[in-house]
């Protein structure tokens, strides 16, 4: 589901966080459910356990930063069609740190790539930091 190139970036990001070299990476991949509203923006990967970290939105209005099993996501199949339910968005490019996507998701209660909302999130974070 996640290409080897992206896996390598996510593993490096996890290494940096574990060694206090970086904490707020941009999402590397966007996964989504073909037949539902679930979306995952993932930035880090524990290669040993195949567990990723990122912004998880199951489409219920409560996106959160969390961990998710890549093996579990790969195992989810459509009940009747028996095809994979979760796929990678090949066109996604993380433009902002994860904190911005999380702030934007809290504002609209879902993961969004709407540029205006993301810019409002950047401003909200900056305003909090300076106040």
């Amino acid at each position: 589901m996640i290409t080897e190139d992206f896996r390598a970036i996510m593993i490096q990001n996890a290494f940096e966080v574990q060694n206090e070299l970086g904490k707020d990476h941009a999402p590397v991949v966007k996964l989504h459910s073909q037949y539902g509203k679930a979306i995952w923006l993932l930035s880090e990967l524990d290669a040993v356990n195949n567990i990723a970290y990122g912004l998880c939105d199951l489409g219920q209005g409560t996106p959160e930063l969390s961990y998710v099993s890549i093996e579990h996501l790969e195992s989810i199949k459509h009940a009747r069609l028996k095809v994979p339910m979760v796929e990678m968005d090949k066109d996604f490019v993380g433009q902002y740190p994860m904190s911005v996507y999380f702030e934007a998701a809290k504002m609209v209660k879902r993961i969004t790539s709407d540029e205006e909302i993301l810019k409002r999130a950047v401003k909200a974070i900056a305003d909090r930091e300076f106040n």
Side-chain angles (χ1 to χ4, degrees):
M1 174 185 328
I2 300 173
T3 66
E4 287 303 315
D5 290 347
F6 288 145
R7 286 178 67 85
I9 294 167
M10 293 170 68
I11 291 167
Q12 178 63 34
N13 286 352
F15 174 82
E16 290 176 7
V17 169
Q18 291 166 356
N19 291 286
E20 298 182 12
L21 302 172
K23 294 186 181 190
D24 195 11
H25 295 97
V28 176
V29 296
K30 176 183 180 181
L31 305 179
H32 61 94
S33 171
Q34 292 185 52
Y35 304 101
K37 297 178 181 178
I39 299 172
W40 299 266
L41 297 181
L42 305 174
S43 60
E44 300 164 28
L45 180 65
D46 171 353
V48 173
N49 298 305
N50 210 22
I51 302 290
Y53 173 80
L55 183 55
C56 305
D57 180 359
L58 299 181
Q60 301 172 335
T62 56
E64 64 182 10
L65 293 170
S66 188
Y67 295 89
V68 64
S69 165
I70 298 301
E71 287 177 16
H72 174 72
L73 293 180
E74 290 172 336
S75 74
I76 302 171
K77 306 281 190 237
H78 188 278
R80 285 177 289 154
L81 303 175
K82 303 298 183 201
V83 296
M85 287 280 291
V86 179
E87 66 182 15
M88 187 175 82
D89 180 343
K90 294 174 178 44
D91 296 323
F92 176 78
V93 177
Q95 299 289 329
Y96 297 93
M98 189 68 75
S99 60
V100 173
Y101 287 97
F102 182 46
E103 184 70 24
K106 289 189 297 184
M107 290 176 171
V108 296
K109 300 190 184 316
R110 61 181 169 76
I111 291 176
T112 182
S113 56
D114 181 289
E115 194 63 31
E116 290 304 314
I117 295 169
L118 291 166
K119 286 179 182 176
R120 282 189 7 228
V122 168
K123 183 178 182 330
I125 292 169
D127 288 348
R128 261 198 318 269
E129 289 177 2
F130 292 111
N131 289 328

